[in-house]
Each structure stands twice: as structure tokens, then as C-alpha cells.
Amino acid sequence: MTHPTPGTVAWFEIATSDPDAAEKFYGSLFGWAFEADEPAASGGMDYRNIKAPGVDAPVGGVFGTGGQMPNHAVFYVLVADVAAACADAEQLGGSVVGKHLDPGPGAPTFAYLCDPSGNQFGVFTPPAA
């Protein structure tokens, strides 16, 4: 099994106020399966990992927002150092929307960034094994 390397899109997230409907739609459309994330890793949120047919590990997630934020989808790029990626993005004319550099045990370090045109995306580093 190959693993993503830094600089690749390695995760995506669908944030929705109706995660059950998202599961039904995407599951029917693409054959995806869903499983609840471990409470420690998700910080107690309604977070469901997406497993695509023929892939061993989750490829993305559905985040149940509870209506606390707009529905959206975002891609995440794997990086070696989230703080350095944030600094580099700002130096290149982008901005940092929010960062989570100390998320707790079992959770990834991640940040939301915007490119100079205002397109939002994420960067992350997986939790230590």
C-alpha cells in the first residue's frame, strides 16, 4: 500500500448540517461507506470517515456541523509542518483562516488557508503513530 507524500491532496471533508443525507447521497452515488470516527480523534464532534471502494484506509470525512457553520467541501494537502506551511502561504500572498497546531492525542495538526484569490483549502499533518 502506498502512502501520500507531502504536497499531495490526501484528504477531503464535506461539512454539512445533515450528515445522514450526505451519507445517503454520496454512498449511493459513489459506493462510499461511512464509519464514525473515534471520539478522541474527533474531539466529540459528529465526524464520519469515508471509505471508498477498493481502498483500505479512509480518504475523507463527513463533518456534522449541527448548523453552526455553512455547508462546504474542502480539500486538504499533506504537509510536513503545518506552522511552516501557514507562514509560507502568508509570505506568498495567501492568508491563514484558522489553525489547530495542538489538537490533542490522536488528532491531526491542521490549518485552513486561503490562496491570494480567496479560495479556501486545508493543510494537515497526520497524528503521530
Side-chain angles (χ1 to χ4, degrees):
M1 181 171 152
T2 61
H3 298 283
T5 58
T8 61
V9 175
W11 192 259
F12 68 94
E13 183 174 83
I14 301 164
T16 176
S17 58
D18 192 348
D20 292 332
E23 278 192 20
K24 183 177 178 183
F25 176 80
Y26 289 105
S28 296
L29 185 62
F30 298 123
W32 294 348
F34 302 85
E35 59 187 28
D37 197 21
E38 295 178 29
S42 65
M45 300 181 300
D46 181 357
Y47 201 89
R48 305 163 190 200
N49 290 316
I50 298 168
K51 295 192 79 176
V55 180
D56 295 332
V59 296
V62 171
F63 168 43
T65 65
Q68 300 300 308
M69 64 178 56
N71 293 341
H72 65 275
V74 64
F75 68 88
Y76 291 84
V77 177
L78 179 68
V79 296
D81 183 332
V82 171
C86 290
D88 290 346
E90 289 180 317
Q91 189 169 7
L92 293 167
S95 61
V96 177
V97 177
K99 53 188 168 184
H100 305 273
L101 300 179
D102 189 18
T109 302
F110 66 97
Y112 294 110
L113 308 176
C114 281
D115 67 18
S117 296
N119 298 303
Q120 186 170 316
F121 63 99
V123 293
F124 80 104
T125 300

